[in-house]
Structures are given as structure tokens and as C-alpha cells.
Amino acid sequence: MDKMTDEQVLGALKGAPDWAETGGQIHRTFQFKDFVESMKFLNAVAEYAESVQHHPDILIRWNKVTLTVSTHDAGGITEKDFALAAKADELACGFLPAAPAKVKKAKK
């Protein structure tokens, strides 16, 4: 898999707004209710990463999990990294609290 250009990375980040690029890697910090929820999410990510043989660097801080991804073989960011990011976002939905519903104001 080929390394993405800077322009391609910027374009892909528009579709992954919670992710950022730093030093040739993409990263995101997820925040959960507590340590147990963080570990459940991490285990789900680990299972997926193992199935596709693409493993993120992981930092765990009680209720926060930071994933950092790059494709070492390509020497930078590839589409494979954004696929892992998208899957992590999908998996997080099962552990993150739902956003509160917006209340519509009654018309007068």
C-alpha cells in the first residue's frame, strides 16, 4: 500500500473530523465513562486490528484511550490507517454515551 500525499491525508481527515495528523501519523483520543468501558473498547479494537493485521499504538489513561496509526511498511499514512480509524469510530459508538437529544422550542 502506498503512502498518501499530504493533500490526500488532509482530504481524508475531512471525513474523519475527530482524528488529527501529527508527525506522519493519525491519532484520536476517545473518552469513556470509566476504565472498564475503556478496556471493553480497547479489546474490540484489538480484535479487529488482529483480524486485519494492522495494529495501532495505544495509550490508556483511566477513561481515555488514544489510538495512533500509521503504516510502518509504507513509511507514513495510508488508506489502511483511515480504514482502521473508521472501524475504531464505529466500535466506539457501542461504548460512548449517546448525545443528548436536542429539544425543539415550541413556536409561539
Side-chain angles (χ1 to χ4, degrees):
M1 184 155 290
D2 293 332
K3 176 180 167 182
M4 297 171 80
T5 65
D6 291 342
E7 292 79 23
Q8 290 171 321
V9 170
L10 288 174
L13 283 170
K14 289 179 183 175
D18 294 322
W19 290 78
E21 184 275 335
T22 305
Q25 301 176 322
I26 59 172
H27 57 89
R28 178 182 175 187
T29 299
F30 298 85
Q31 184 169 338
F32 301 95
K33 160 177 99 167
D34 56 27
F35 182 74
V36 171
E37 291 298 302
S38 294
M39 294 308 295
K40 287 178 184 177
F41 167 71
L42 181 57
N43 285 328
V45 169
E47 188 173 312
Y48 172 76
E50 189 64 18
S51 75
V52 296
Q53 289 298 297
H54 190 52
H55 305 90
D57 291 331
I58 301 165
L59 174 64
I60 305 164
R61 290 170 283 147
W62 189 64
N63 69 336
K64 294 180 181 133
V65 176
T66 301
L67 301 180
T68 303
V69 190
S70 69
T71 303
H72 302 290
D73 295 356
I77 301 168
T78 67
E79 291 177 13
K80 195 174 186 179
D81 302 313
F82 281 99
L84 192 145
K87 184 63 175 183
D89 288 346
E90 177 188 321
L91 292 169
C93 288
F95 301 102
L96 294 171
K102 292 186 179 181
V103 176
K104 291 185 179 182
K105 293 183 180 181
K107 292 183 181 180
K108 291 184 181 184

